[in-house]
């Protein structure tokens, strides 16, 4: 299948995914826009793409089948809106927007223009996360007793100078950057909780740390993320009949199921960004049913994140 992508943004994630994307047979990056043109030109050289002066010109390159938005969080809404109004299918980096209000507005525009929109929540286009969900559904560990899902990376220290992580007007903070994965993981496995209790540590109006208990009636899930300490990343699910452990769950290459019967390890070594782009291209082309990372699920995750922010006192200009 041939599929031509337009890239808006050529920062670190764009560079990382581009390398994998072009390993998909038939996939190419034909057009590029970046705020700083020199960086777009450097990027475009590698992929033989055309650089445009504006995002509008880039998405309207007649060869473009879909647009990938890889700019910073606070710009997702306006770039996605531009694409949808111009009938260009969109795959937008996480978090798809700053809050539910922005996301619902995008979904409205997407419906009015009958144009595809999807959050690039790559974890859930990949087999490991979906295998874990299958184990839970099949009740391989029986009645759930507890869940611990944490994602911590000291990006505050590494990128302090950059500022976007610690700026509420840029939709910064641990929750929107890392927590979007831990909230999504627990949501995909167990749905919306009955209640949430959250606490956080704020700095400059953003959360360096957030820590929530999701109440599921029968068990609790501990869902946490932080950008100021390296505590690690895992999801551990304990049940009456066993345990599931997923190290580095957002990019997991393996999940381990332990029960009385023994140990089962599910591994997936495939390129995870490549898989996401292949699946999304097939959805856009109508070659398979558009199932994973639905817009409804993005709305529900965004509602959970809005609630956590409300409880810990993080406010964005879009609120
Ligand atoms: N899926 C993943 O694993 C993953 C990993 C990391 C990040 N992300 C997400 O990807 C997005 C980008 O993150 P990153 O780490 O790649 O950031 P980055 O390296 O800082 O790159 C940011 C990009 O956004 C552009 N940009 C910034 N402000 C802009 C503005 N006001 N208008 C237009 N363009 C603007 C930058 O353009 P200039 O070159 O002109 O500065 C650059 O292209 C974020 O939403 C982040 O949450 C996803």
């Amino acid at each position: 299948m041939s599929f031509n992508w337009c890239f808006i943004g050529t920062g670190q994630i764009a560079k990382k995914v581009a390398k994998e994307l072009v390993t998909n047979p038939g996939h190419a990056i034909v057009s590029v826009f970046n705020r700083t043109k020199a960086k777009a030109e450097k990027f475009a050289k590698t992929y033989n793409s055309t650089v445009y002066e504006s995002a509008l010109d880039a998405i309207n390159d007649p060869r473009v089948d879909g647009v990938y938005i890889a700019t910073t969080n606070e710009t997702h809404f306006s770039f996605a809106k531009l694409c949808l109004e111009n009938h260009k299918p969109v795959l937008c980096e996480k978090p798809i927007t700053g809050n539910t209000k922005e996301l619902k507005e995008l979904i409205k525009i997407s419906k009015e223009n009958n144009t595809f929109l999807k959050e690039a929540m790559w974890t859930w286009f990949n087999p490991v996360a979906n295998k874990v969900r299958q184990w839970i559904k099949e009740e391989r560990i029986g009645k759930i007793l507890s869940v611990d899902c944490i994602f911590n990376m000291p990006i505050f220290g590494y990128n302090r100078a950059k500022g976007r992580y610690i700026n509420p007007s840029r939709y910064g903070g641990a929750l929107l950057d890392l927590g979007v994965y831990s909230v999504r993981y627990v949501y995909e496995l167990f749905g919306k909780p009955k209640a949430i209790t959250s606490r956080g540590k704020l700095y400059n109006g953003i959360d360096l740390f957030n820590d929530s208990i999701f109440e599921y009636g029968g068990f609790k899930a501990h869902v946490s993320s932080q950008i100021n300490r390296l505590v690690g990343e895992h999801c551990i699910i304990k049940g009456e009949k066993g345990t599931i452990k997923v190290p580095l769950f957002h990019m997991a290459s393996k999940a381990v199921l332990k029960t009385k019967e023994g140990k089962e390890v599910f591994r997936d070594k495939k390129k995870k960004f490549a898989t996401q782009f292949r699946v999304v291209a097939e959805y856009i082309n109508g070659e398979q049913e558009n199932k994973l990372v639905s817009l409804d699920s993005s709305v529900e995750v965004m509602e959970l994140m809005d609630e956590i922010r409300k409880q810990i006192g993080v406010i964005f200009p879009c609120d």
Side-chain angles (χ1 to χ4, degrees):
M1 181 208 12
S2 110
F3 200 93
N4 291 329
W5 291 96
C6 166
F7 267 44
I8 298 183
T10 56
Q12 57 122 2
I13 193 62
K15 288 187 197 121
K16 208 165 161 182
V17 305
K19 277 189 202 146
E20 287 199 12
L21 180 158
V22 295
T23 66
N24 281 331
H27 283 230
I29 302 166
V30 294
S31 96
V32 175
F33 167 74
N34 191 57
R35 179 179 62 174
T36 308
K37 195 178 173 196
K39 291 188 198 167
E41 280 166 345
K42 196 168 170 209
F43 177 92
K45 237 183 195 168
T46 312
Y47 299 103
N48 202 16
S49 334
T50 307
V51 174
Y52 288 92
E53 293 288 337
S54 73
L56 183 62
D57 289 344
I59 66 174
N60 280 326
D61 178 317
R63 297 168 297 172
V64 169
D65 297 310
V67 181
Y68 169 59
I69 299 173
T71 50
T72 48
N73 300 350
E74 80 287 3
T75 66
H76 292 175
F77 176 82
S78 56
F79 283 129
K81 183 168 183 274
L82 181 79
C83 294
L84 296 170
E85 286 174 344
N86 283 276
H87 302 277
K88 299 295 169 187
V90 181
L91 174 65
C92 181
E93 259 312 330
K94 45 58 60 173
I96 185 164
T97 52
N99 65 10
T100 310
K101 195 170 77 183
E102 279 193 343
L103 178 53
K104 285 190 169 168
E105 177 64 19
L106 284 188
I107 292 173
K108 185 168 160 272
I109 301 167
S110 147
K111 283 187 178 149
E112 283 166 1
N113 291 279
N114 192 22
T115 302
F116 182 94
L117 171 66
K118 181 82 70 186
E119 183 172 18
M121 182 38 72
W122 59 306
T123 310
W124 288 94
F125 291 102
N126 278 286
V128 173
N130 285 290
K131 174 57 83 177
V132 172
R133 183 163 51 197
Q134 187 193 332
W135 283 340
I136 302 277
K137 269 200 180 140
E138 291 170 353
E139 300 183 4
R140 298 285 298 276
I141 58 168
K143 189 169 172 285
I144 305 299
L145 299 176
S146 70
V147 179
D148 187 42
C149 191
I150 61 164
F151 190 175
N152 308 293
M153 231 196 303
I155 42 184
F156 173 60
Y158 303 152
N159 288 298
R160 196 171 179 162
K162 267 199 197 170
R164 79 174 171 87
Y165 296 105
I166 55 162
N167 190 339
S169 69
R170 308 198 65 195
Y171 306 175
L175 181 67
L176 274 271
D177 220 276
L178 306 180
V180 64
Y181 289 110
S182 36
V183 172
R184 164 71 73 163
Y185 210 85
V186 172
Y187 166 83
E188 289 278 353
L189 298 180
F190 305 109
K192 264 192 127 172
K194 291 182 192 316
I196 301 180
T197 314
S198 304
R199 64 193 177 95
K201 182 177 177 192
L202 304 199
Y203 172 87
N204 198 40
I206 58 88
D207 61 311
L208 290 176
F209 165 71
N210 63 80
D211 195 79
S212 302
I213 298 297
F214 286 12
E215 185 65 67
Y216 280 97
F219 71 94
K220 292 178 177 34
H222 173 230
V223 184
S224 179
S225 53
Q226 61 181 303
I227 54 172
N228 58 335
R229 285 176 61 210
L230 180 59
V231 185
E233 179 193 345
H234 65 235
C235 184
I236 299 172
I237 307 145
K238 291 188 176 157
E240 277 182 345
K241 296 198 294 187
T243 301
I244 296 169
K245 285 190 182 169
V246 195
L248 306 175
F249 68 89
H250 91 287
M251 50 180 277
S253 294
K254 74 168 184 182
V256 182
L257 167 70
K258 271 190 192 162
T259 62
K260 270 204 314 280
E261 287 80 48
K263 182 171 154 182
E264 190 175 323
V265 182
F266 180 83
R267 291 181 199 278
D268 173 58
K269 297 271 186 221
K270 283 196 218 74
K271 294 185 167 85
K272 292 177 177 52
F273 291 120
T275 301
Q276 169 181 259
F277 280 86
R278 181 184 50 73
V279 170
V280 169
E282 287 173 5
Y283 287 172
I284 292 170
N285 281 352
E287 288 169 16
Q288 64 159 310
E289 198 187 338
N290 179 0
K291 272 195 191 153
L292 301 172
V293 190
S294 69
L295 286 172
D296 287 347
S297 70
S298 289
V299 168
E300 295 208 323
V301 169
M302 199 54 78
E303 284 170 350
L304 294 173
M305 296 207 299
D306 285 357
E307 175 59 27
I308 294 170
R309 283 198 298 114
K310 194 169 126 199
Q311 290 192 27
I312 66 179
V314 172
I315 300 161
F316 297 148
C318 58
D319 289 333

